[in-house]
Amino acid sequence: MNWIVQFLTWLRLLFAGWIDPPYKTIVVQALLPEKLKNKAIYIVEEDGFEEQAAMLCPRCRDHILHMNLLPDERPCWTIICHDDGTASLHPSVWRKKDCGVHFWFRRGRVFWT
């Protein structure tokens, strides 16, 4: 019986990215708001340049993940804003400290690795 529960949990994690509603993409100018919304990715723009993407950690939701979008600084991510209002990040997001979260962010959805 235990293997059935494990299998169903594995299936839920595998397909969670397609079942859950996508994250909202919110573009802000210069500064992040003091309190970030859950299930939202923020793109911070200044002087017409995308500087960073930020979101609440999808696992523990008690800290903010910041992804640099400026190509002359490392590490660096690229973000694609899709016509349907969702966004994708490349490469994956991997926080090696704290909760150790590691995921791909595609079309507004989190896909765990």
Side-chain angles (χ1 to χ4, degrees):
M1 191 66 150
N2 191 24
W3 70 271
I4 294 173
V5 172
Q6 290 176 344
F7 179 71
L8 292 174
T9 301
W10 177 80
L11 280 177
R12 184 188 169 284
L13 289 174
L14 181 66
F15 292 105
W18 295 112
I19 296 169
D20 295 336
Y23 278 56
K24 292 180 183 177
T25 303
I26 301 171
V27 178
V28 296
Q29 298 299 316
L31 297 172
L32 284 171
E34 284 188 32
K35 185 169 179 159
L36 301 187
K37 294 180 182 178
N38 190 26
K39 300 282 286 182
I41 186 164
Y42 292 81
I43 302 171
V44 179
E45 287 185 349
E46 190 167 352
D47 298 327
F49 294 99
E50 295 172 339
E51 293 190 353
Q52 70 168 304
M55 62 193 300
L56 291 175
C57 177
R59 178 178 288 159
C60 57
R61 291 183 174 79
D62 65 352
H63 61 269
I64 299 171
L65 302 175
H66 297 270
M67 285 72 63
N68 168 51
L69 301 176
L70 297 172
D72 56 341
E73 295 180 21
R74 298 287 182 253
C76 179
W77 284 261
T78 56
I79 193 160
I80 299 168
C81 294
H82 303 286
D83 291 338
D84 62 1
T86 62
S88 297
L89 282 171
H90 183 79
S92 65
V93 177
W94 188 3
R95 185 170 178 90
K96 295 183 181 182
K97 59 182 181 174
D98 296 330
C99 66
V101 69
H102 188 193
F103 60 91
W104 288 94
F105 191 78
R106 295 286 183 255
R107 292 203 170 262
R109 291 182 164 87
V110 171
F111 294 93
W112 299 103
T113 58

